[in-house]
Amino acid sequence: MAIETRPEKARGTGGGGRGGVRQRPWWMRPALHTAIVGAVLGYVIGHWLGNVLASSNATTEYPSIALSDSSDVPIVLGYLFGVVGWLAGLGVFNNLLRLIAGRPAPAEAEEEESSGLARYFRFTLDHKVVGIQYLVGMIVYFLTAGLFAMGIRAELLSPSYHLFSSSAYVEIVGEHGTMMMMLMTSVILGPFGNYFVPLMIGSKRVAFPRLEALSFWITPVAYLILLSGLMLGGFPFGWTGYAPLSIQSTYGADSYAIAFGLMGISVIMAGFNIIVTVICYRAPGMRWSRLPMFVWSMVATSFLMVLAAPVLVVGMYMMISDRTAQTAFFIDTLGGSSYLYQNVFWFFGHPEVYILALPGFGIVSEILPVFCRKPLFGYRVATAGMIGVTLLSFFVWQHHLFDSGINPDMRPVFMLTTELISIPTGFIYLVAMGTLWKAKIRLKVPMLFALGMYFNFLIGGISGVFLSDVPADTTEHGSFFVMAHFHYTIMGGLIFAFMGGCYYWLPKMMGIKLDEKLGKIHFWTMFIFFNSTFLPLFAVGMAGQPRRVFEYARSLETLNDWVSISAFCLGGSILIFVINFVWSTVIARVREEGNPWRSRGLEWQVSSPPPPGNFAQVPVVLSGPYEYGTPGAPPVADLSPPTGVVSAAYADTARAEA
Ligand code: HEM
Ligand SMILES: [Cu+2]
């Protein structure tokens, strides 16, 4: 276990001598505006280079074998150079050689003013700043993708009148689905994982602050690239990008592949950083058996990210090279296989859905004992559940391919592994039931969201058992039943937990209180309208309404109208959250200093917001985080241990681990 004992390094600045600091005017310092300039310049150069390459290629003797199109080359190179320009504009590559050589970066004046608002628009190495950057980013991405959902539901108000053309409709569905699946991958790990994991394990910093900051700054550019796809004709293949459609379609497919691939790279870095931080930076006494559930969920998610996302990146890379470089990985007529794409995609795609589910369970397991004032029931069962889900999620991917020409004898195997996964998931529910049992529950807003999450995910989970059954899946596959199922797990699970996390932790992150009354109105409207949007969709699906099609049977109009109106109200409930967020953090600013929920979590033992470097001294952890109401339970940690205690706690941990 490595401990960072020098708080001045915790901010992650290069350190080094401070003599003769350069002071550049603000507009020359790397920040968001220089990044935009860099991205535009990069795009122009890449596009020009691509045109040169493509035209020289056209005159060679090689005939164009594949469906690739030489005019994809400038666009792809434009995007890639644009990304490099964006990062260069942010200053990511400044002093790179010095850093690689292990020499400290020169002191820069801008590091000095690390307290102002400006640092939120920079490549900053403080994990708490990155957490807040992620939080704001995620809210923006979620709202954008949510607007597309409103567009879809507006179209589906009528089975025949058309707000959009059929191609615009599929493009909107694709943008909504892809933006949600791509960017919401980090909706909890980004803001809360980066902010709280170091605090919860008693560390002053994360292991790799540069990787962490880079993982965030890739998300805005991935978001913009995905959106720019709309100007290039969009992509008609939903979020899954199946070949051959993705190989044949217009330039919008390049935006899809590059944005999704970039996001894969971002989550690999984010996950890697969390894993190393938790392994190497735990405070003395923070044994694995005392790790908060949220940290366990972050570790499990990070392993999934690090192992699954590379497969996505490779898939996107192969798709791009099929579209530009005359390879034929996914083109059946040229010896490739479109079936290969489905396997590659879902080998990532199924773990992805657990990347979306586990962090939610981490948050609600954290909230439950605090508001029940009881120890978490079956801590070890909960961790076993998380680890079980993580392992099993790599063995189920072909349940997405039951209908795709899979060897029929293999179907029961994947049906079995899929159904097995409900056992470790069940563990997590068991833990919740045990914790709620006979508890005096305080129904504050975070707790309401936690309970809502358990309720919604249960419906999502039970409908998932049906979909893992081959006979049911072969009829429901591709219908709105599937749509309802995964929105129950992701929107009803992940997003509800995210909201719970906001109400629970924002007082800590910003030192302000979110309005409780608006919070309750937000919860109840979101809960009611979420269910009234998605529950009828199970019926609509069973009645045969297919996904991604904008016309449907007239008999289903009433149900669809009901769903659409509920969806608009659901969108309204999210606006209540945004209003509450802006009102509480910008206008009202009611201070919340102490520990409003009386939580035992280590993160709550320091001031709000936590000071730079988190802890004045390395804390010594004395007991587990959930011993509420246990008579004689020692405090969670000694925040100012006398000299010598740290090494004693070391010896103690070493003995315990031996
Ligand atoms: C305000 C809440 C939301 C509403 C009203 C909504 C609505 C919809 C609708 C109507 C469709 C299907 C359109 C069709 O197949 O014709 C859809 C598809 C989809 N949604 Fe959502 N959605 C919401 C939130 C989310 C969230 C939070 C996620 C994930 C993080 C998500 C992920 C997806 C995906 C992956 C698709 C499939 C796209 C495809 O077929 O490729 N949605 N959504
Ligand atoms: Cu799956």
Side-chain angles (χ1 to χ4, degrees):
M1 194 190 298
I3 304 180
E4 185 55 68
T5 47
R6 284 183 298 158
E8 70 277 12
K9 286 204 69 179
R11 267 162 279 168
T13 60
R18 297 252 167 229
V21 190
R22 286 173 288 143
Q23 182 79 48
R24 281 183 281 171
W26 70 267
W27 52 270
M28 279 183 65
R29 292 181 218 152
L32 188 60
H33 64 286
T34 48
I36 294 172
V37 175
V40 173
L41 279 179
Y43 186 88
V44 172
I45 296 173
H47 197 95
W48 168 79
L49 194 70
N51 272 326
V52 173
L53 282 178
S55 57
S56 70
N57 210 25
T59 54
T60 60
E61 281 105 80
Y62 300 115
S64 191
I65 55 153
L67 302 155
S68 63
D69 180 341
S70 57
S71 35
D72 282 302
V73 177
I75 287 170
V76 168
L77 282 187
Y79 279 144
L80 292 180
F81 277 63
V83 173
V84 174
W86 166 267
L87 296 179
L90 280 167
V92 175
F93 306 120
N94 293 2
N95 302 311
L96 196 61
L97 292 179
R98 289 183 80 118
L99 289 168
I100 290 173
R103 285 188 289 144
E108 285 192 5
E110 38 272 45
E111 300 283 13
E112 296 295 319
E113 38 138 53
S114 61
S115 54
L117 203 59
R119 68 196 158 140
Y120 292 103
F121 297 93
R122 296 231 168 91
F123 188 79
T124 312
L125 305 185
D126 181 335
H127 72 93
K128 296 196 285 294
V129 177
V130 177
I132 290 177
Q133 288 172 331
Y134 255 116
L135 181 69
V136 175
M138 288 299 149
I139 293 176
V140 171
Y141 310 147
F142 179 71
L143 292 180
T144 317
L147 273 184
F148 286 117
M150 298 299 116
I152 304 173
R153 281 316 324 176
E155 171 63 55
L156 294 178
L157 275 169
S158 153
S160 53
Y161 168 74
H162 296 314
L163 210 55
F164 304 112
S165 65
S166 57
S167 59
Y169 180 77
V170 237
E171 281 164 29
I172 292 173
V173 172
E175 285 282 338
H176 163 74
T178 314
M179 191 171 289
M180 286 290 193
M181 294 307 274
M182 210 175 98
L183 289 156
M184 293 303 109
T185 312
S186 304
V187 70
I188 288 177
L189 190 135
F192 301 135
N194 286 321
Y195 197 104
F196 286 109
V197 164
L199 280 158
M200 291 173 116
I201 62 173
S203 168
K204 291 166 186 284
R205 53 172 288 178
V206 293
F208 301 113
R210 269 169 205 284
L211 277 191
E212 186 194 53
L214 189 55
S215 79
F216 167 72
W217 281 103
I218 288 180
T219 62
V221 72
Y223 164 80
L224 292 175
I225 291 179
L226 190 73
L227 271 184
S228 71
L230 284 177
M231 294 186 293
L232 298 174
F235 48 91
F237 41 69
W239 82 281
T240 48
Y242 280 1
L245 207 51
S246 56
I247 310 293
Q248 294 164 354
S249 55
T250 54
Y251 311 121
D254 298 326
S255 320
Y256 165 90
I258 289 184
F260 221 159
L262 275 176
M263 204 48 210
I265 294 172
S266 159
V267 301
I268 295 169
M269 293 190 296
F272 185 67
N273 176 44
I274 296 281
I275 293 174
V276 180
T277 304
V278 176
I279 293 179
C280 298
Y281 285 79
R282 278 170 295 134
M286 181 51 86
R287 304 174 192 147
W288 287 98
S289 57
R290 285 177 180 165
L291 220 52
M293 280 322 296
F294 179 68
V295 179
W296 271 113
S297 77
M298 288 296 103
V299 173
T301 307
S302 298
F303 272 102
L304 288 176
M305 286 176 162
V306 166
L307 295 173
V311 182
L312 167 75
V313 177
V314 168
M316 294 301 128
Y317 182 61
M318 288 154 96
M319 183 196 287
I320 293 169
S321 75
D322 273 8
R323 291 179 55 85
T324 53
Q326 307 216 12
T327 56
F329 295 110
F330 303 137
I331 305 169
D332 302 274
T333 46
L334 295 167
S337 162
S338 52
Y339 192 50
L340 173 67
Y341 178 81
Q342 300 190 8
N343 279 285
V344 170
F345 184 83
W346 285 110
F347 191 81
F348 148 78
H350 189 84
E352 161 77 358
V353 305
Y354 283 96
I355 292 174
L356 298 174
L358 284 176
F361 279 115
I363 289 192
V364 293
S365 316
E366 204 59 45
I367 289 176
L368 223 52
V370 177
F371 292 88
C372 291
R373 310 312 294 171
K374 275 179 69 190
L376 187 74
F377 173 79
Y379 172 88
R380 277 161 203 264
V381 178
T383 50
M386 298 232 170
I387 296 171
V389 167
T390 307
L391 292 177
L392 272 176
S393 63
F394 283 103
F395 297 95
V396 299
W397 81 96
Q398 291 224 350
H399 61 211
H400 296 276
L401 312 183
F402 283 150
D403 266 355
S404 303
I406 175 177
N407 173 357
D409 292 340
M410 289 297 284
R411 285 170 166 178
V413 178
F414 285 96
M415 178 165 138
L416 182 73
T417 52
T418 307
E419 283 172 2
L420 276 182
I421 230 173
S422 49
I423 296 175
T425 316
F427 283 9
I428 300 175
Y429 265 86
L430 199 73
V431 168
M433 295 306 114
T435 310
L436 287 168
W437 183 251
K438 290 193 175 163
K440 286 200 193 67
I441 303 172
R442 289 189 296 169
L443 284 179
K444 297 282 187 190
V445 183
M447 184 64 176
L448 288 175
F449 274 102
L451 294 175
M453 186 276 188
Y454 281 111
F455 177 86
N456 298 336
F457 199 93
L458 191 65
I459 299 184
I462 291 175
S463 54
V465 176
F466 288 95
L467 289 173
S468 66
D469 282 343
V470 178
D473 184 70
T474 42
T475 51
E476 292 312 323
H477 179 88
S479 79
F480 263 72
F481 187 91
V482 174
M483 250 276 303
H485 152 71
F486 70 73
H487 280 87
Y488 257 97
T489 57
I490 306 176
M491 177 80 194
L494 176 81
I495 301 297
F496 270 70
F498 168 75
M499 294 295 177
C502 285
Y503 283 96
Y504 182 62
W505 275 322
L506 270 177
K508 179 92 249 163
M509 297 168 89
M510 308 211 164
I512 53 97
K513 212 187 173 102
L514 282 184
D515 191 82
E516 177 87 9
K517 204 179 221 159
L518 273 178
K520 285 209 164 135
I521 300 177
H522 168 207
F523 169 74
W524 283 111
T525 46
M526 184 166 161
F527 182 74
I528 291 169
F529 291 118
F530 166 75
N531 279 288
S532 109
T533 302
F534 289 102
L535 204 59
L537 288 181
F538 286 114
V540 170
M542 283 195 278
Q545 184 169 328
R547 282 167 74 179
R548 303 178 185 175
V549 178
F550 73 160
E551 268 168 351
Y552 55 84
R554 287 209 169 271
S555 57
L556 294 176
E557 183 167 5
T558 320
L559 266 181
N560 268 293
D561 286 353
W562 174 279
V563 168
S564 289
I565 290 165
S566 305
F568 302 144
C569 297
L570 176 60
S573 76
I574 307 281
L575 279 189
I576 299 180
F577 168 72
V578 176
I579 292 170
N580 195 356
F581 183 79
V582 175
W583 165 259
S584 304
T585 57
V586 182
I587 302 166
R589 295 194 67 81
V590 180
R591 296 285 308 160
E592 182 71 86
E593 260 134 30
N595 183 349
W597 319 117
R598 291 189 291 121
S599 164
R600 278 177 60 90
L602 198 49
E603 80 275 23
W604 288 103
Q605 312 307 318
V606 291
S607 62
S608 306
N614 301 344
F615 301 95
Q617 245 177 298
V618 176
V620 172
V621 179
L622 302 173
S623 63
Y626 304 121
E627 295 178 23
Y628 294 100
T630 315
V636 160
D638 186 346
L639 292 183
S640 43
T643 331
V645 167
V646 171
S647 49
Y650 250 147
D652 182 43
T653 325
R655 257 202 311 281
E657 280 167 5

